């Protein structure tokens, strides 16, 4: 970056001096001002605009406006048999910066126009013999500037690709460890619970073992969904559909005196995507667990439907009791983890008081991935 800034700043006094010595005309002075502005534009681009997508439209607008002014002023200078080294060098710099930050056909068109303007600037000196030489020098400078800009962009893209590859490999390694180690232990819990339930004569113990078995199956489903999200397994995950959400709500209903209303309105789809389904199931489980721990409701509403703004899936859990804290509050961090997983999918999670003294948790996930 420092070398690029030197490439921008160091030649500026030289080209300014060349224009002052060669010409004594107000038009050339105006061209010097515009060329200096191009130098400043290139410096700002190197320092701030590149890598900030929200500023690209502004940068592109300044770039296009500068080309229009350069074309008009260059034409006037050529008709009067003059040429500005400062303006030409500014265009050469913009060529490299444009090659660096170009992101599509529109940017490539601007770069091509910049090259044409830079090469055409000395055309007014054509009949004095030096014009063709200056045009050739401008073309060579633009070629070098294009090559440098393309090289820097390629290097940055390579660094970004390498970083993304490292992140992907780390996620894959963690997913493999999760699948090979944790899933193996949870499977052992399922087997032990099934074996103990088969020989147990106490109904209460049998019911407790059955709950342990169901919880272990849910944990396995979430592990498989997480592994699938990392790309290490198929995207489908058992227990991530609507039936699993019904099961969670029904099990909660057996542990409370409150009325549990379940409303599901998802036209055209009976299943949620694997990763989204796992987050929905975990959010419902954590929300109902918090209701059980912190509230004494008379009515609990579980609603799953579509949202239009943003378009996606919404899970709403509302109770008329009194709850404690929002996301991440209290000693537990279950909802905080759910919120983190929702944000990874491009969604959001909100928990807090609702009108009428109720407490509600709202999870919104995009229709597809983030």
């Amino acid at each position: 970056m420092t070398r690029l800034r030197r490439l921008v700043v160091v030649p500026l006094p030289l080209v300014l001096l060349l224009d002052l010595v060669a010409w004594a005309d107000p038009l050339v002075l105006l061209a010097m001002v515009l060329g200096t502005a191009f130098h400043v534009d290139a410096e700002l681009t190197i320092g701030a605009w590149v890598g900030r997508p929200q500023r690209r439209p502004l940068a592109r607008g300044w770039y296009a406006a500068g080309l229009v002014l350069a074309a008009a002023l260059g034409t006037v200078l050529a008709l009067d048999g003059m040429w500005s080294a400062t303006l030409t060098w500014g265009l050469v710099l913009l060529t490299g910066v444009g090659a660096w930050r170009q992101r599509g056909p529109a940017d490539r068109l601007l770069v091509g126009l910049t090259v044409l303007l830079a090469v055409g600037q000395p055309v007014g000196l054509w009949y004095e013999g030096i014009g063709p030489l200056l045009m050739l020098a401008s073309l060579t400078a633009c070629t070098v500037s294009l090559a440098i800009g393309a090289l820097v962009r390629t290097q940055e893209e390579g660094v970004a690709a390498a970083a993304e590859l490292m992140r992907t490999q780390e996620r894959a390694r963690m997913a493999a460890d999760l699948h090979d180690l944790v899933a193996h232990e949870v499977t052992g819990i399922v087997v032990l619970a099934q074996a103990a339930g088969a020989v147990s004569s106490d109904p209460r113990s049998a019911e407790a073992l059955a709950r342990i078995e169901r919880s272990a199956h849910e944990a396995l489903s979430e592990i498989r969904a997480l592994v699938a999200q990392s790309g290490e397994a198929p995207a489908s995950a058992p227990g991530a559909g609507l039936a699993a959400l019904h099961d969670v709500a029904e099990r909660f209903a057996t542990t409370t005196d409150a009325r549990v209303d379940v409303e599901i309105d998802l036209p055209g789809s009976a299943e949620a995507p694997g990763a989204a389904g796992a987050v929905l199931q975990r959010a419902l489980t954590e929300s109902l667990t918090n209701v059980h721990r912190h509230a004494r409701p008379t009515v609990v509403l579980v609603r799953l439907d579509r949202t239009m703004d943003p378009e996606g899936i919404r899970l709403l859990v509302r109770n008329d009791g009194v709850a404690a804290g929002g996301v991440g509050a209290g000693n537990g961090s279950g909802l905080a983890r759910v919120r983190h997983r929702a944000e990874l999918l491009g969604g959001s999670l909100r928990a807090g008081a609702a009108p009428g003294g109720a407490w509600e948790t709202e999870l919104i996930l995009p229709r597809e991935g983030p």
Side-chain angles (χ1 to χ4, degrees):
M1 190 69 71
T2 302
R3 292 179 180 177
L4 287 173
R5 283 196 168 98
R6 290 174 181 173
L7 180 64
V8 170
V9 174
V10 170
L12 179 59
L14 301 178
V15 292
L16 286 173
L17 180 62
L18 178 60
D19 279 342
L20 288 174
V21 172
W23 313 101
D25 189 280
L27 287 176
V28 176
L29 293 178
L30 183 58
M32 293 168 61
V33 172
L34 182 58
T36 303
F38 285 164
H39 284 72
V40 175
D41 173 75
E43 168 69 9
L44 289 177
T45 300
I46 292 173
W49 286 348
V50 172
R52 297 188 181 183
Q54 66 272 21
R55 296 193 178 186
R56 285 175 192 158
L58 175 63
R60 190 178 291 114
W62 279 112
Y63 196 119
L67 292 186
V68 172
L69 290 176
L73 188 54
T75 300
V76 174
L77 287 175
L79 291 176
D80 287 347
M82 294 184 292
W83 165 74
S84 170
T86 307
L87 181 57
T88 301
W89 182 247
L91 290 170
V92 169
L93 289 178
L94 286 187
T95 299
V97 172
W100 181 6
R101 72 185 181 192
Q102 62 89 13
R103 294 295 185 274
D107 290 338
R108 287 192 285 271
L109 177 61
L110 288 176
V111 172
L113 291 176
T114 307
V115 174
L116 290 177
L117 285 175
V119 174
Q121 288 296 312
V123 71
L125 303 178
W126 183 271
Y127 294 106
E128 296 185 17
I130 195 175
L133 182 61
L134 290 177
M135 294 176 70
L136 179 61
S138 299
L139 178 60
T140 302
C142 285
T143 302
V144 174
S145 185
L146 282 170
I148 293 175
L151 177 62
V152 173
R153 188 183 76 251
T154 301
Q155 289 177 340
E156 290 185 346
E157 291 174 350
V159 171
E164 179 61 27
L165 178 61
M166 292 180 63
R167 287 192 292 267
T168 301
Q169 291 175 340
E170 180 63 16
R171 286 195 296 266
R173 185 192 64 79
M174 294 177 64
D177 291 344
L178 184 66
H179 182 272
D180 296 340
L181 302 178
V182 180
H184 177 75
E185 295 299 328
V186 175
T187 302
I189 293 175
V190 173
V191 174
L192 291 174
Q194 290 174 340
V199 299
S200 175
S201 59
D202 184 358
R204 289 180 297 178
S205 297
E207 174 61 23
L209 290 169
R211 289 187 180 182
I212 292 174
E213 181 184 348
R214 287 196 297 267
S215 297
H217 275 299
E218 291 175 8
L220 280 174
S221 298
E222 290 203 31
I223 290 173
R224 290 167 183 150
L226 288 172
V227 173
Q229 188 177 353
S230 72
E232 292 296 304
S236 61
L242 304 185
L245 299 180
H246 272 293
D247 290 343
V248 173
E250 289 175 359
R251 287 199 301 273
F252 172 77
T254 63
T255 64
T256 179
D257 295 330
R259 188 178 83 245
V260 180
D261 297 331
V262 180
E263 301 177 3
I264 295 182
D265 182 17
L266 291 178
S269 175
E271 297 290 326
V279 176
L280 286 169
Q281 185 176 345
R282 175 50 57 190
L284 179 57
T285 301
E286 290 292 343
S287 299
L288 294 179
T289 300
N290 286 346
V291 171
H292 183 73
R293 290 176 178 173
H294 305 299
R296 296 293 182 267
T298 59
V299 179
V300 177
L301 171 65
V302 177
R303 180 172 177 78
L304 186 67
D305 56 14
R306 293 285 188 187
T307 63
M308 298 305 296
D309 185 21
E311 185 178 3
I313 302 174
R314 182 184 70 154
L315 172 66
L316 178 67
V317 180
R318 177 186 294 136
N319 72 88
D320 60 355
V322 178
V327 173
N331 294 327
S333 58
L335 282 181
R337 289 194 297 269
V338 174
R339 178 176 61 182
H340 176 68
R341 292 174 62 177
E343 290 172 351
L344 290 177
L345 296 177
S348 62
L349 177 69
R350 177 185 62 84
W359 186 272
E360 64 182 25
T361 302
E362 183 183 52
L363 170 69
I364 296 179
L365 295 175
R367 191 170 189 174
E368 295 178 353

